[in-house]
Amino acid sequence: MEDLPADITYLRTAIANVVLVGDQSSKDWVLVDTGIKGYADKILEAAKERFGPAPPKAIILTHGHFDHIGSLEGLLESWNVPVYAHERELPFLTGKDDYPEPDPTVGGGLLSRISPLFPRSGIDISGRVHALPADGSIPRMPGWRWIPTPGHTQGHISLFRESDRALIAGDAFTSVKEESLIANLTQEEDIHRPPAYFTTDWDAAWESVKKLEALKPLYAVTGHGPAMAGQELQTSLARLARDFETIAIPEHGRYVHQND
């Protein structure tokens, strides 16, 4: 995409994005997230077209929800590569725990209403998945660092490169109203809260948005929606960080104001 640095591209898998990071002339590249189940072949095809037969050096997960790890096991059948995630996500990636139930009463869209049908069970890739280094570095991604952005999940992370202020935000915020099926189909650009039905800590989610806004990113690829860049990104993200409490946090819901 013209709006992104040359070494960053992304592929939409139904409602969720995967990000490929690396120069086309280089065999050193990584995959961030793996999208919806059933897209392994399309991801493999896109990777081969961009990088040739070389597999990624690693797969980095922003978190372990079904729409970010759906094609992971299929990809690992073709690629013998390490997977990295925050240590708090490891229970959901080693078969030890399941995510909390989604809340269909928040978000106001069709995807929210049908969210109880979405998978929330953990997967087991023990032996393939590793905790990210505690110092914020990202294996096989020189120049990038991971940033804890909890709220949507306890171990959610975002990725940032200081040299060009490129951000891979995962679901810390989105660039489309993810709860709406129509918005997902049209990909109408709109910086938005993390997907409401799976977000369990709204105070932490707000702090994470403020943390990312303070970085003043020039480019952002989110887990849902089109990439954004420049002044429009910064202005919209500043508005979300400032007004999160009134425009993003639902008034009612299973996980809203639970600590009050």
Side-chain angles (χ1 to χ4, degrees):
M1 287 190 59
E2 293 182 0
D3 288 342
L4 290 174
D7 66 337
I8 301 175
T9 191
Y10 67 101
L11 172 71
R12 184 157 63 96
T13 67
I15 62 171
N17 296 325
V18 304
V19 190
L20 296 81
V21 182
D23 291 318
Q24 286 185 268
S25 60
S26 171
K27 294 182 179 180
D28 289 336
W29 68 282
V30 301
L31 179 69
V32 181
D33 289 338
T34 67
I36 294 288
K37 186 174 182 178
Y39 276 82
D41 286 345
K42 289 192 175 183
I43 295 171
L44 289 168
E45 181 182 349
K48 185 176 182 179
E49 181 178 347
R50 186 168 176 84
F51 300 106
K57 296 299 183 181
I59 296 173
I60 312 298
L61 299 177
T62 61
H63 61 301
H65 279 157
F66 79 102
D67 50 345
H68 293 258
I69 55 88
S71 293
L72 177 58
E73 291 173 298
L75 291 172
L76 291 178
E77 292 177 2
S78 297
W79 293 336
N80 182 23
V81 300
V83 181
Y84 293 93
H86 191 284
E87 62 179 357
R88 289 191 175 183
E89 294 296 297
L90 295 188
F92 311 107
L93 300 170
T94 54
K96 296 179 180 179
D97 205 353
D98 299 330
Y99 282 104
E101 293 182 7
D103 185 350
T105 69
V106 296
L110 177 61
L111 294 185
S112 282
R113 291 195 291 273
I114 67 172
S115 62
L117 302 176
F118 295 158
R120 65 180 185 89
S121 300
I123 63 172
D124 190 354
I125 54 168
S126 302
R128 307 293 294 273
V129 65
H130 311 275
L132 284 161
D135 63 3
S137 63
I138 305 175
R140 301 295 187 171
M141 292 187 75
W144 290 82
R145 61 187 172 97
W146 67 266
I147 300 167
T149 47
H152 187 56
T153 69
Q154 287 187 344
H156 190 285
I157 65 159
S158 301
L159 291 68
F160 186 68
R161 183 166 62 186
E162 185 69 42
S163 61
D164 57 4
R165 286 159 48 203
L167 174 67
I168 301 173
D171 285 359
F173 65 90
T174 64
S175 56
V176 70
K177 184 179 180 183
E178 198 277 333
E179 301 93 347
S180 166
L181 177 60
I182 293 175
N184 274 280
L185 291 174
T186 63
Q187 290 290 286
E188 182 178 353
E189 186 178 283
D190 176 26
I191 280 194
H192 209 66
R193 63 190 171 195
Y197 48 84
F198 266 140
T199 300
T200 55
D201 188 334
W202 285 97
D203 290 337
W206 188 6
E207 291 302 315
S208 292
V209 168
K210 289 190 285 188
K211 183 186 300 182
L212 295 180
E213 190 276 331
L215 297 173
K216 305 300 180 189
L218 289 177
Y219 310 94
V221 183
T222 65
H224 305 272
M228 297 186 69
Q231 189 61 51
E232 182 180 6
L233 166 63
Q234 292 187 344
T235 300
S236 299
L237 187 53
R239 175 182 55 84
L240 181 63
R242 181 188 66 236
D243 300 332
F244 193 94
E245 186 172 25
T246 57
I247 67 174
I249 301 179
E251 292 184 4
H252 305 288
R254 182 179 294 135
Y255 303 114
V256 180
H257 309 305
Q258 61 179 352
N259 296 322
D260 288 357

